[in-house]
Amino acid sequence: MAKTNYYQPDPKTDLVLERIVDVPTELVWKAWTTPEHILKWFTPAPWKTIDCEIDLKPGGIFRTTMLSPEGQEFPNSGCFLDIVENEKLVFTDIFEPGFKPTPSGGFFTAILTLEKHGNGTKYHVLARHKDEESRKKHEEMGFHEGWNAALDQLVDLMKAVR
């Protein structure tokens, strides 16, 4: 029986970001799992992340509040689905903490995988959406530009804290 690859991107509903960064995997992991670090890199400038709560366990909360340049706050909340230290972080806004479905139905699930690559990290994000319309909206909102800019900020931050 063939094994299903659940991480194979579907071009109709998924967005992908993959890069090699010159920061060790352990530091990339720390940047993603420490609220104090999230506040410094998670939102592409000139936006800011002004609040973050993490309970790093399946069903645990992953909550951020972003602040626009105009001063408008955008709270985001979801939960972690799967965690493999220094390797994989899966989170979604489709569920609230404790796997309770969100009233809004949510937007996407992100699968972040990290793989050692020399002294750096192969950084891979698979952003899965419930339908083509949601994927297109996320892409038009600037998924590639925003996630790349945030990753640049993560790299700069973690190089400074080495």
Side-chain angles (χ1 to χ4, degrees), residues 13-149:
T13 57
D14 300 339
L15 295 169
V16 175
L17 169 66
E18 184 171 281
R19 283 179 44 195
I20 305 296
V21 296
D22 60 346
V23 173
T25 303
E26 295 78 14
L27 289 181
V28 175
W29 180 263
K30 191 174 184 179
W32 265 100
T33 59
T34 307
E36 295 78 23
H37 290 322
I38 291 275
L39 293 174
K40 296 175 184 169
W41 72 265
F42 189 72
T43 310
W47 287 64
K48 296 178 182 176
T49 303
I50 58 171
D51 195 26
C52 177
E53 181 180 1
I54 292 175
D55 183 12
L56 196 59
K57 64 183 180 189
I61 193 168
F62 182 44
R63 181 185 55 74
T64 60
T65 301
M66 298 180 213
L67 181 69
S68 76
E70 299 76 31
Q72 187 176 3
E73 292 186 12
F74 292 86
N76 299 286
S77 187
C79 77
F80 293 104
L81 301 174
D82 192 15
I83 299 158
V84 179
E85 188 173 355
N86 296 320
E87 292 180 21
K88 181 170 60 171
L89 196 59
V90 182
F91 59 94
T92 189
D93 66 353
I94 295 170
F95 295 112
E96 295 177 349
F99 305 112
K100 182 179 179 184
T102 59
S104 68
F107 184 60
F108 80 112
T109 298
I111 303 165
L112 168 69
T113 54
L114 308 173
E115 187 179 320
K116 289 184 186 293
H117 188 270
N119 292 327
T121 302
K122 181 178 177 183
Y123 183 97
H124 186 271
V125 176
L126 174 60
R128 310 206 94 164
H129 302 82
K130 59 186 173 184
D131 53 36
E132 289 182 61
E133 182 181 326
S134 297
R135 182 211 41 87
K136 185 177 181 192
K137 180 180 176 186
H138 199 183
E139 189 168 36
E140 290 171 352
M141 286 170 51
F143 169 81
H144 291 99
E145 297 85 0
W147 282 64
N148 270 299

Side-chain angles (χ1 to χ4, degrees), residues 23 151-161:
V23 173
L151 179 56
D152 289 341
Q153 293 170 176
L154 178 156
V155 169
D156 290 344
L157 173 68
M158 298 320 284
K159 283 182 175 181
V161 301

